[in-house]
Amino acid sequence: MKQDRIRNLAIIAHVDHGKTTLVDGMLKQSGVFHERQVVEDRVMDRNDLERERGITIMAKNTAIIYKDYRFNIVDTPGHSDFGGEVERIVQMVNGVLLLVDASEGPMPQTRFVLKKALASGLYPIVVINKIDRPQARPVEVLDEVLDLFIELEASDEQLDFPVIYTNARTGTASLDPAISGDNLMALFEMIIAKIPAPEGDPEQPLQVGVSMIDYDTYVGRQAVGRVSNGSLRVRQEVVVASIDGAGNRQRIAGLYIFDGLKKVPVEEAGIGEIVVITGLDGFNVGDTVCEPEQAHMLDFVPIDEPTVAIGIQVNKSPFSGREGTYVTSRKLGERLIRELESDVSLRVTPTASPDTFIVSGRGELHLSILIETMRREGYEFEVSRPQIIERYIDGQRCEPIEELVIEVPEEYVGVVMEGLGSRKSEMVNMTQKNEGFMYMEFLVPTRGLFGFRSQFLTDTRGMGTMHHLLHGYAPHRGEIDTRQRGSVVAHEHGETTAYGLENAQERGELFVAAGTPVYRGMIVGENSRPGDLVVNVCKKKHLTNVRSSSSDMAIKLSPPRTMNLEQCLEFIADDELVEITPLTIRMRKVAMS
């Protein structure tokens, strides 16, 4: 049986190609907001980190009503580090809108998210966005998208995809790239005509696959998933089936469906509905809510394994406990285990030391978002340098390899290739896309990219762009010296002085300004040479009764380099740590004496 009045779809794209902006337009034009309601841009980005960085981190649900049709829409992340968010929602939807920038064309993450969608048998609609850009080339981009579909071995039905051209910022869509259109109605009609209606059997036993987990302060954890078979009612008895078997009987306390940005309570939901269930315990992503007598688990899409790991441990620096609310290993462990319930691509492993946990994720950005979230919640801890997760394939030591795409002005090609050459990279393609810009593709070990972004931005004067995506595993490529310079380390406890920093800045670039509290072993700058340099940055200029001609000249300090969390993780060496507190991010040596 088909649920003809429902369309379940996900919006997938490379990062910053306009997914969330398109959802904004769809919400506004479907009447979710009243005429005088003030609506901020990217309304689906609900937490501070998403708004600050301008990226989608967590997959989120919404629903709109158009001509008696309900569109259940999932806004997904575009960055491959959050690919677990894409992988787990494919069971909830029947089709996808693949957004592609009319100027940039398919990018590495476009390949990643499309590959997951095609492998799950989802029907695609190609949306070529930003057609108003001066560099827009929609015809060429459509050819590139078709080549990508063929390369990813799409089925004949998937290859016969419809195309629509949009400007998400102005909320317009058209079937012709030369015509801008007046609204998004052409897109709405295409969704109704092309996205398959959900199917299922209402007479079969209940099956609801848990694809997402939400949390509410009042009702606790909430299971989000699609009703695949049967029907669901409030106060119905169910069990949660997992790979470990079925759990105890439980009763559904509340049942909701999405309506715009709200959850609306309902008494019953049938096949095809995306529902939110409250009152259940002991469920995780991938489990199935079933009838007690017939607990049959749905197949779950496998989640790619992590590739990068870091050590998170209790803060043991001299400044520990000054700024954080949660500083003990018990609180730290509880928070990390809680994160596992909603992030299916994260792994947490205890170590021999009760104060240290190994946390594995899909990339540096994936892990840094977790660290930043915990920091803002009041946690205080230390983080070690990211390490790759190796595998042994057929008895051979293998490491993760990234597909790196770079676009730079022609004059910087040489310096970029030189920088990547020492990182064991392999060039696979180089073409000229736009006038004056070169497009290059490399295969680089994941560890070879640690610290490369800051070097790349410096070498290209901020004019280059880079994106990378896990390509696969390959035999280990040998040692890589990713850091050429040492650290400037504080010699003693105290506050930095202009006089002490003036002496230190002659030896390298500083990370701290005058008046900053420091401790012995804290990293205060980058040495201009290999090896560490210990400097007394708290040194004061003592008064004497002998005055030289230059004694009254003002001390001139260069502005310190501000280091964010990602830059700190890229900078530190194996014998260094990043100290994370709610107010400060510092770096220090492991051995401080």
Side-chain angles (χ1 to χ4, degrees):
M1 176 181 173
K2 290 186 177 181
Q3 189 72 284
D4 290 330
R5 293 290 168 177
I6 294 178
R7 298 292 184 272
N8 297 326
L9 64 145
I11 301 185
I12 61 175
H14 179 81
V15 65
D16 200 32
H17 276 197
K19 299 178 303 300
T20 307
T21 305
L22 182 64
V23 175
D24 277 3
M26 296 174 75
L27 287 169
K28 291 173 183 175
Q29 295 188 27
S30 64
V32 169
F33 310 114
H34 60 74
E35 291 182 7
R36 297 186 180 181
Q37 185 172 348
V38 178
V39 183
E40 56 191 355
D41 291 338
R42 300 198 315 275
V43 69
M44 291 291 285
D45 288 344
R46 296 173 197 169
N47 68 45
D48 293 338
L49 274 176
E50 290 183 318
R51 293 200 168 280
E52 289 171 15
R53 295 170 181 254
I55 61 174
T56 301
I57 296 170
M58 301 292 291
K60 290 174 285 294
N61 293 77
T62 187
I64 63 177
I65 304 296
Y66 173 74
K67 289 186 177 180
D68 296 329
Y69 285 86
R70 172 182 293 277
F71 296 167
N72 289 312
I73 302 171
V74 188
D75 183 20
T76 64
H79 200 289
S80 62
D81 279 20
F82 309 110
E85 297 291 311
V86 179
E87 291 163 346
R88 69 182 184 172
I89 60 92
V90 293
Q91 282 188 318
M92 282 204 297
V93 298
N94 302 99
V96 293
L97 301 185
L98 174 68
L99 254 72
V100 183
D101 190 297
S103 173
E104 294 182 354
M107 299 293 280
Q109 271 82 28
T110 311
R111 174 192 299 271
F112 173 78
V113 294
L114 179 61
K115 181 179 180 181
K116 297 296 180 184
L118 295 179
S120 300
L122 302 181
Y123 187 81
I125 294 177
V126 173
V127 181
I128 298 182
N129 192 29
K130 304 185 183 181
I131 58 171
D132 60 319
R133 295 183 64 176
Q135 306 89 358
R137 46 188 191 91
V139 177
E140 294 90 337
V141 166
L142 180 57
D143 290 338
E144 293 172 7
V145 171
L146 180 58
D147 291 341
L148 181 59
F149 270 75
I150 295 172
E151 184 180 337
L152 295 177
E153 299 179 351
S155 67
D156 292 341
E157 184 184 10
Q158 290 169 331
L159 280 172
D160 189 25
F161 55 82
V163 184
I164 195 162
Y165 303 89
T166 63
N167 181 353
R169 187 173 293 276
T170 59
T172 58
S174 169
L175 300 177
D176 186 342
I179 302 173
S180 61
D182 300 318
N183 49 43
L184 293 173
M185 298 307 143
L187 177 61
F188 291 163
E189 294 293 341
M190 184 173 286
I191 290 172
I192 293 173
K194 299 296 184 180
I195 298 294
E199 297 184 15
D201 190 342
E203 304 302 325
Q204 288 292 320
L206 172 68
Q207 287 182 305
V208 181
V210 180
S211 297
M212 300 172 65
I213 295 176
D214 206 348
Y215 184 81
D216 185 271
T217 310
Y218 298 102
V219 300
R221 297 173 73 223
Q222 303 170 318
V224 183
R226 187 181 78 179
V227 182
S228 297
N229 288 303
S231 61
L232 194 60
R233 299 178 308 280
V234 178
R235 295 176 294 280
Q236 179 178 346
E237 276 199 350
V238 296
V239 296
V240 177
S242 66
I243 55 174
D244 299 323
N248 298 325
R249 289 180 179 236
Q250 303 183 61
R251 195 176 296 276
I252 293 173
L255 186 62
Y256 302 83
I257 61 172
F258 291 96
D259 183 7
L261 302 178
K262 305 187 297 293
K263 297 170 186 171
V264 179
V266 293
E267 287 296 316
E268 188 172 359
I271 59 169
E273 290 278 12
I274 293 180
V275 296
V276 182
I277 306 171
T278 63
L280 301 183
D281 294 321
F283 62 86
N284 283 303
V285 172
D287 294 347
T288 306
V289 179
C290 310
E291 297 275 5
E293 290 78 16
Q294 293 177 294
H296 300 298
M297 186 179 174
L298 291 168
D299 293 332
F300 187 68
V301 176
I303 304 295
D304 289 349
E305 291 296 314
T307 58
V308 178
I310 56 172
I312 292 183
Q313 65 183 46
V314 172
N315 187 9
K316 299 176 182 177
S317 82
F319 288 172
S320 64
R322 292 189 179 186
E323 301 170 354
T325 304
Y326 309 108
V327 297
T328 63
S329 59
R330 182 174 65 85
K331 289 290 186 182
L332 196 60
E334 288 175 354
R335 176 62 181 84
L336 292 172
I337 296 302
R338 192 164 74 246
E339 187 69 20
L340 291 177
E341 295 179 348
S342 58
D343 191 340
V344 294
S345 51
L346 196 73
R347 303 286 185 273
V348 176
T349 308
T351 64
S353 169
D355 296 338
T356 306
F357 303 88
I358 301 299
V359 181
S360 308
R362 297 277 277 268
E364 278 186 294
L365 182 60
H366 183 199
L367 296 172
S368 69
I369 291 293
L370 170 62
I371 293 169
E372 181 65 26
T373 302
M374 292 174 61
R375 183 175 85 88
R376 296 187 182 198
E377 292 173 356
Y379 288 85
E380 186 176 304
F381 50 95
E382 292 178 333
V383 180
S384 67
R385 186 187 187 194
Q387 303 287 340
I388 61 166
I389 299 175
E390 297 180 341
R391 294 182 186 176
Y392 280 86
I393 302 174
D394 297 330
Q396 190 171 18
R397 180 188 179 192
C398 296
E399 64 175 329
I401 303 294
E402 303 278 335
E403 178 184 330
L404 174 67
V405 174
I406 286 178
E407 194 167 349
V408 291
E410 290 179 353
E411 60 265 31
Y412 299 121
V413 169
V415 68
V416 169
M417 292 182 66
E418 182 181 353
L420 285 170
S422 61
R423 295 169 182 263
K424 309 292 185 181
S425 68
E426 172 190 345
M427 176 180 280
V428 293
N429 185 27
M430 182 167 69
T431 56
Q432 186 167 6
K433 265 197 172 181
N434 301 317
E435 187 174 347
F437 278 78
M438 297 301 293
Y439 175 88
M440 299 182 287
E441 295 181 19
F442 297 86
L443 293 179
V444 192
T446 300
R447 59 197 170 97
L449 291 178
F450 293 163
F452 176 69
R453 186 177 295 274
S454 56
Q455 176 189 335
F456 172 76
L457 292 174
T458 302
D459 290 344
T460 62
R461 307 295 189 268
M463 297 179 67
T465 59
M466 60 173 282
H467 302 281
H468 56 91
L469 172 72
L470 180 66
H471 178 74
Y473 278 76
H476 196 274
R477 295 191 176 181
E479 294 302 317
I480 298 176
D481 186 10
T482 57
R483 182 169 155 190
Q484 309 296 328
R485 300 177 180 180
S487 301
V488 177
V489 183
H491 176 263
E492 62 182 28
H493 297 262
E495 281 193 4
T496 57
T497 64
Y499 181 64
L501 292 176
E502 183 186 34
N503 295 326
Q505 74 177 5
E506 297 175 1
R507 309 291 185 89
E509 187 177 10
L510 297 177
F511 301 152
V512 296
T516 303
V518 298
Y519 51 80
R520 182 180 178 87
M522 179 173 159
I523 297 171
V524 295
E526 182 180 23
N527 192 5
S528 57
R529 298 180 179 181
D532 295 334
L533 178 68
V534 180
V535 177
N536 186 359
V537 289
C538 303
K539 186 177 182 181
K540 297 179 180 178
K541 185 175 183 181
H542 298 290
L543 295 175
T544 67
N545 56 4
V546 178
R547 301 177 65 181
S548 66
S549 59
S550 61
S551 62
D552 293 328
M553 290 177 60
I555 294 174
K556 295 182 179 179
L557 293 177
S558 302
R561 190 208 304 179
T562 303
M563 300 281 282
N564 61 29
L565 176 58
E566 282 88 356
Q567 289 170 331
C568 289
L569 289 174
E570 290 181 345
F571 177 81
I572 59 172
D574 291 334
D575 64 339
E576 296 167 351
L577 297 169
V578 180
E579 180 185 352
I580 309 290
T581 77
L583 302 180
T584 316
I585 298 176
R586 308 181 186 93
M587 293 177 287
R588 72 171 182 89
K589 306 298 288 187
V590 173
M592 295 184 291
S593 58

